[in-house]
Amino acid sequence: MIREEMPHHWLLLDELSTIQVGELIASGWRDVIVPLGATEQHGPALPLLVDSEHGLQTALRAARLLDKTLVGPVVTLGYSPEHAAFPGTVSLAKSTMAALIHDIAESHARSGFELVYFWVAHGGNNPVLQEVLPKLQSKWPGCYVTGLKDLAGYVSSTWNRAPVEKGIPLSISGSHAGEFETSMMLAARPELVKMTAAEAGNTAPFENLVERMMSEGIDAVSVNGVLGDQRAGDADRGEFYLNKLAGYLAADVQQVREYLAVRSL
């Protein structure tokens, strides 16, 4: 098992040399988690890399809980057209995103990985991932390609549960750039968070906003791009949140492993 104190650079594929990666694969490190992030606005207090950063942090924590698992390079661009009205947002076309997922999977399969797991750190990437996964799942002999498949179940058991466990209403934790993401960034990259600029956004339930947000853009439902309240961010809660997400990810990867082990019998 990977020790909790193991330096993260031993888990990040792109911080290793090709010799090191080859040696790890040969010794049984044949699983890789690929975080699918985004570069998009997260309100006045947070940087554009929030999704990529929390995807990386949760993948690293999950890799420490799992045996012989690497974290592939984070995909830092995603499908984010609903945020396009805000400067700095970079959104890929669905076809570009799908091609990117395909090519990443192919590259990891060619390297010798036997399990490639795509981790959804930006919800907007989920429809693209679900569309391409059936085509990629067994495309490369000896390599199984999968990822987070139950986004609703993941959200309900983590994003919608962890804040309540800490006494934070979901209207404050929010679904985008609110307390939840502010707290995670305060835990992971506090130097990038500008709490003096933190603001409240639209605190209505996400299900009341999502249809208009996806058709007209998030600016149609929130002038500052925040769904929730950034001002309640707290680093200790952020650490708790990151570990909750990582626990879900590790359990999901382990479930895939168990399925593959039974399938090979």
Side-chain angles (χ1 to χ4, degrees), residues 31 114-115 142 144 146 252-265:
D31 297 351
E114 295 177 354
L115 171 60
Y144 186 79
T146 188
D252 206 40
V253 172
Q254 186 58 35
Q255 208 168 35
V256 175
R257 286 175 166 177
E258 292 169 2
Y259 162 74
L260 292 176
V262 170
R263 195 179 72 162
S264 66
L265 293 177

Side-chain angles (χ1 to χ4, degrees), residues 1 10 15 19 33 101 111 120 137 155 159 163 180 196 202 222 249 251 253 259:
M1 292 292 290
W10 285 104
E15 291 191 3
I19 301 300
I33 298 170
I101 291 170
S111 291
V120 177
Q137 192 166 279
V155 170
W159 288 68
F180 197 98
T196 55
N202 194 329
S222 175
L249 169 57
V253 172
Y259 162 74

Side-chain angles (χ1 to χ4, degrees), residues 188-206:
R189 298 291 300 276
E191 76 280 8
L192 298 180
V193 182
K194 299 174 176 61
M195 287 304 291
T196 55
E199 295 179 358
N202 194 329
T203 58
F206 182 66

